[in-house]
Amino acid sequence: MSLDITSPRPRIARLKRAMAEKGIDALVSFKPENTFYMSGFNPVLYSHPVVMILPAEGEPTLLVHALRDAHGRDEGFVDDTRAYGVWSTTKTMGPTWPEALQKILGEKGLENAVIGLEADSTPMARWTQVQGLVPGARLEDSSKLIDRCRLIKDADEIEMARIAADLADRGMDAAIAALAAGGTEREAHTASLMAMNTHWTHALPDTIEVADFGGLEGGMVNGLATWVLSGERMFRNCDNSIARKPEQGETVAIFIWAVANGIHAENERTVAMGPLPDKRRRALETILSIRDEITPVMKPGTPLAELYNITKAGLIKAGYDANIPGRIGHTIGIGAHEHFSIDGKTDVILEPGMLFTLEPNLRVPDQGVATQISDTILITEDGHDFLTRSRGGYIEV
């Protein structure tokens, strides 16, 4: 794949091109995932806002609370990092972020500009507050613009996705081994977390962080996550694991998210506990067959919706026309679930550098049939690459 990992981050240029097309003079971002995308800085705790200012012309500015100043300068890639608030001897622009932001926008000549702000994540009170700082400016929603730019991953993001996928694989292997040894949901869950954290502890350098993105009332210091659901509990889709030992003839879903320096990978498997009743085995084999049909078309130029349409046709052919899922995957990267779904409506065309999860699935509640199999896929120049590579196919223990 023709990617130069030593080149400057193309995402900033990509954002600026998109801003020019939409007539936006600057982005002002508060959303943790997006401020990280534009700066490389994740404070983990967002109790004090991090603000990223990206003008269409000129250099970006990262604004952080004084409490996070040293961290932001050490880990972010934005040369112009400023601080607000009060913390020890740190020099700041003022006691509050609005005061500091107003000064920065004035410095950049943006008092009467078109400014992009994320409407999907900015509370109305903050939107109004920003408008009050620059009453002559026009605020526009930049959510979709940033989401589109995030579809294509830069070389450094792809490198981190590979590390995250390897972590997820190790967690999956450990969870399956725990189930094979007669373990409960919680024992499989814990074995998975231990395997991922042990590898991170002993095999990965200090430059690899597994923190996720927090919010105003908490942080995600460790974003390595597993949950295990067995039998009828599979229909919950997401829940804490419990001290339940799966029974023979049941299926067990293992869900894993891993993260490396802000970039996620997902690995999900359905495990058969001994021989399955015919209806459950048939459901799993149907999904595995559909995945085999989808695999050859995962390449540049393929509409993302085609993957969904292949799944839909396969399920109808197999007699599951009443059980068509709403989507069969999603884009992934800075978000474990980024905003584009693999469904029949998405207008995304696959391009090199895109990351998504492939998870055609089947739920037939009245038959106790549920499947969950997901891999993280990278689109390359001439095809695709499975980043998650742990044991797949029909898994029986």
Side-chain angles (χ1 to χ4, degrees):
M1 186 173 183
S2 57
L3 289 167
D4 179 9
I5 200 163
T6 63
S7 66
R9 294 167 180 84
R11 51 187 173 273
I12 301 302
R14 195 158 56 244
L15 281 166
K16 289 192 172 188
R17 286 195 298 270
M19 291 161 64
E21 291 173 3
K22 298 294 184 182
I24 292 177
D25 299 310
L27 297 178
V28 173
S29 178
F30 292 87
K31 186 175 182 179
E33 290 83 355
N34 290 341
T35 60
F36 171 78
Y37 180 62
M38 296 181 228
S39 72
F41 173 53
N42 176 9
V44 185
L45 299 175
Y46 287 84
S47 49
H48 301 285
V50 172
V51 191
M52 184 67 199
I53 303 97
L54 178 67
E57 300 291 338
E59 296 303 309
T61 298
L62 176 66
L63 178 62
V64 302
H65 189 272
L67 181 64
R68 316 293 178 204
D69 182 66
H71 191 183
R73 294 178 189 278
D74 287 346
E75 291 195 355
F77 56 72
V78 176
D79 291 331
D80 184 17
T81 296
R82 317 272 189 97
Y84 67 90
V86 178
W87 191 259
S88 187
T89 59
T90 301
K91 183 179 180 181
T92 73
M93 297 185 69
T96 68
W97 69 260
E99 181 180 346
L101 178 59
Q102 187 176 46
K103 290 178 182 177
I104 293 168
L105 294 176
E107 286 177 18
K108 296 181 183 295
L110 297 168
E111 300 96 328
N112 299 299
V114 179
I115 295 176
L117 200 61
E118 305 114 326
D120 68 347
S121 58
T122 304
M124 181 59 70
R126 182 169 291 174
W127 185 285
T128 303
Q129 195 172 18
V130 173
Q131 183 69 82
L133 300 178
V134 279
R138 186 173 85 245
L139 302 188
E140 298 280 352
D141 179 19
S142 60
S143 308
K144 292 182 179 178
L145 180 155
I146 299 173
D147 285 345
R148 285 277 174 180
C149 289
R150 280 173 52 181
L151 273 172
I152 305 297
K153 274 49 180 181
D154 290 352
D156 61 313
E157 296 177 296
I158 292 170
E159 181 187 24
M160 292 304 109
R162 292 187 186 280
I163 293 172
D166 180 65
L167 282 165
D169 285 349
R170 293 170 187 275
M172 182 60 69
D173 290 344
I176 293 173
L179 291 175
T184 65
E185 287 182 9
R186 282 189 180 174
E187 287 169 334
H189 170 130
T190 303
S192 175
L193 294 180
M194 186 176 294
M196 289 191 286
N197 279 286
T198 297
H199 184 71
W200 174 60
T201 300
H202 298 293
L204 295 179
D206 290 342
T207 53
I208 302 299
E209 296 186 348
V210 295
D212 219 320
F213 300 97
L216 293 178
E217 298 188 28
M220 290 287 290
V221 177
N222 191 313
L224 302 176
T226 300
W227 64 101
V228 181
L229 303 175
S230 60
E232 292 294 322
R233 284 170 45 78
M234 286 184 67
F235 294 104
R236 297 192 178 197
N237 300 308
C238 184
D239 198 359
N240 252 201
S241 307
I242 63 173
R244 178 183 188 275
K245 184 175 180 179
E247 299 176 4
Q248 289 291 297
E250 287 185 336
T251 50
V252 182
I254 305 168
F255 305 78
I256 296 178
W257 288 344
V259 60
N261 287 350
I263 305 299
H264 294 80
E266 177 180 286
N267 186 338
E268 297 171 354
R269 297 288 186 262
T270 299
V271 177
M273 301 303 296
L276 294 180
D278 288 346
K279 60 187 177 183
R280 291 178 185 163
R281 183 174 186 111
R282 180 172 179 270
L284 268 173
E285 290 177 341
T286 297
I287 290 300
L288 292 170
S289 175
I290 289 171
R291 285 170 59 91
D292 288 343
E293 289 184 56
I294 291 173
T295 298
V297 303
M298 295 191 303
K299 58 187 177 182
T302 297
L304 203 57
E306 185 172 335
L307 311 187
Y308 178 83
N309 292 331
I310 291 171
T311 300
K312 183 177 180 179
L315 290 175
I316 291 172
K317 182 179 178 181
Y320 294 109
D321 47 297
N323 308 100
I324 308 297
R327 70 176 185 178
I328 61 149
H330 50 83
T331 53
I332 189 170
I334 292 175
H337 281 84
E338 292 192 332
H339 284 172
F340 295 91
S341 292
I342 304 180
D343 56 25
K345 298 179 181 179
T346 182
D347 61 353
V348 173
I349 305 297
L350 292 177
E351 298 179 47
M354 285 187 180
L355 278 177
F356 64 93
T357 67
L358 177 66
E359 48 184 304
N361 61 87
L362 186 57
R363 299 285 194 278
V364 189
D366 60 351
Q367 295 183 19
V369 168
T371 71
Q372 194 66 39
I373 303 170
S374 178
D375 282 292
T376 301
I377 313 293
L378 169 69
I379 296 299
T380 63
E381 296 289 349
D382 56 1
H384 65 269
D385 188 5
F386 277 80
L387 300 193
T388 43
R389 300 176 180 180
S390 64
R391 178 182 174 188
Y394 188 86
I395 303 172
E396 182 178 313
V397 299

